[in-house]
């Protein structure tokens, strides 16, 4: 029976003071930020069209007509970008028994008592829940968005189908915004996480504390890009 790997190409340990661990490649970071920016722009333009009290947000897009035109095209960008992220990370987000234990001790997570938590790989259960939630939500938002994109697809759907799609799209968007807020809050709360997605690196201490199984697997692996590196210190 083979054990599923918790590492990716580009993940490596770099000796130094402190020890540095390469967590995300430049391509992965660019992919992530295109997805994140697209999601923010969609949220702002969508909220602007959702309720009259938020219509002032259309000013960010050049007015109401332009916001309505631009919104679905940004949705296409989001879908394509997220497909890239999904292809990169879905295997590392598959659920394991360890994730059930981690969730069962979520009080310790919130209390920052990580000593009682099981060792996790590159992603913990919370991160995996965000990943799969956004995967489902983005696909459903894209499908419902196609139904209500009247400029190109009005002839393919009935009025009743478009009404259902509008309602579904609005509800799904609110849920997606809530999941995104949780994701951002968690990234800020766990110090060092934002730096991982901007610089691509974390300290060895950060990796040991939050993703110990991933770090241990990296330590056993032969170096990829730095032939002079050896088994890292903690």
């Amino acid at each position: 029976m083979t054990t599923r790997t918790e590492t990716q190409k580009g993940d490596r340990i770099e000796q130094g003071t402190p020890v540095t661990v390469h967590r995300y490649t430049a391509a992965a970071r660019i992919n992530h930020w295109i997805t994140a920016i697209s999601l923010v722009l969609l949220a702002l333009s969508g909220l602007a069209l959702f309720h009259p009290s938020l219509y002032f947000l259309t000013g960010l897009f050049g007015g109401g007509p332009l916001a309505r035109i631009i919104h679905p095209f940004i949705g296409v960008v989001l879908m394509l970008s997220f497909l890239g992220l999904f292809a990169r990370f879905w295997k590392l987000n598959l659920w394991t028994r360890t994730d059930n234990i981690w969730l069962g001790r979520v009080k310790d997570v919130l209390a920052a008592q990580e000593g009682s938590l099981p060792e996790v790989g590159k992603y913990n259960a919370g991160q995996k829940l965000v990943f799969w939630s956004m995967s489902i939500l983005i696909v459903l938002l894209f499908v419902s968005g196609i139904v209500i994109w009247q400029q190109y697809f009005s002839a393919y759907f009935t009025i009743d189908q478009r009404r259902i799609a509008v309602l579904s799209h609005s509800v799904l968007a609110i849920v997606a915004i809530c999941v995104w807020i949780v994701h951002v809050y968690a990234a800020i709360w766990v110090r060092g996480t934002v730096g991982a997605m901007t610089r691509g690196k974390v300290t060895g201490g950060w990796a040991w504390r939050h993703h110990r199984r991933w770090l241990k697997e990296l330590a056993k692996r032969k170096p990829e890009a730095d032939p002079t590196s050896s088994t890292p210190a903690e």
Side-chain angles (χ1 to χ4, degrees):
M1 182 176 178
T2 58
T3 303
R4 180 166 58 85
T5 181
E6 292 286 352
T7 64
Q8 291 179 300
K9 185 176 180 180
D11 294 356
R12 66 182 177 86
I13 298 171
E14 181 182 331
Q15 293 290 348
T17 308
V19 171
T20 299
V21 187
H22 292 253
R23 185 165 171 82
Y24 295 112
T25 63
R29 299 198 305 276
I30 291 170
N31 194 172
H32 170 269
W33 287 111
I34 290 173
T35 303
I37 292 169
S38 298
L39 190 60
V40 170
L41 292 175
L42 282 169
L44 291 172
S45 57
L47 288 170
L49 301 171
F50 178 73
H51 195 274
S53 65
L54 298 172
Y55 188 76
F56 70 93
L57 292 172
T58 60
L60 298 172
F61 303 90
L66 272 178
R68 182 171 181 142
I69 292 171
I70 293 171
H71 182 83
F73 284 103
I74 300 174
V76 174
V77 174
L78 172 67
M79 185 66 192
L80 293 175
S81 182
F82 189 79
L83 285 175
L85 279 184
F86 188 87
R88 291 176 189 279
F89 299 126
W90 73 270
K91 287 184 180 179
L92 294 174
N93 281 279
L94 293 175
W95 202 259
T96 66
R97 291 181 180 178
T98 301
D99 297 316
N100 293 327
I101 299 172
W102 191 95
L103 273 184
R105 300 176 185 174
V106 70
K107 289 183 178 180
D108 293 329
V109 176
L110 298 175
Q113 301 295 325
E114 300 190 33
S116 63
L117 299 175
E119 295 182 359
V120 298
K122 191 163 186 176
Y123 299 108
N124 59 43
Q127 292 168 313
K128 291 179 180 181
L129 285 175
V130 169
F131 177 85
W132 290 110
S133 297
M134 292 305 293
S135 298
I136 295 169
L137 288 165
I138 288 174
V139 170
L140 293 178
L141 282 165
F142 182 77
V143 172
S144 58
I146 290 293
V147 176
I148 60 179
W149 197 352
Q150 295 189 39
Q151 183 178 0
Y152 297 107
F153 302 102
S154 61
Y156 300 98
F157 304 100
T158 66
I159 292 175
D160 286 339
Q161 288 172 334
R162 291 202 294 271
R163 285 173 176 169
I164 293 171
V166 167
L167 177 60
S168 301
H169 196 78
S170 301
V171 173
L172 290 167
I174 292 171
V175 176
I177 290 171
C178 292
V179 174
W180 177 82
I181 290 172
V182 171
H183 174 60
V184 172
Y185 178 79
I188 295 171
W189 182 56
V190 180
R191 213 161 127 193
T193 302
V194 175
M197 196 44 79
T198 53
R199 298 186 301 273
K201 303 175 183 179
V202 295
T203 64
W206 185 94
W208 178 260
R209 179 177 180 182
H210 300 294
H211 299 276
R212 190 170 300 182
R213 195 168 77 233
W214 172 64
L215 181 64
K216 285 182 175 180
E217 187 172 335
L218 274 180
K220 294 176 183 176
R221 200 173 71 175
K222 290 183 179 180
E224 290 178 359
D226 185 1
T228 63
S229 63
S230 57
T231 303
E234 295 174 5

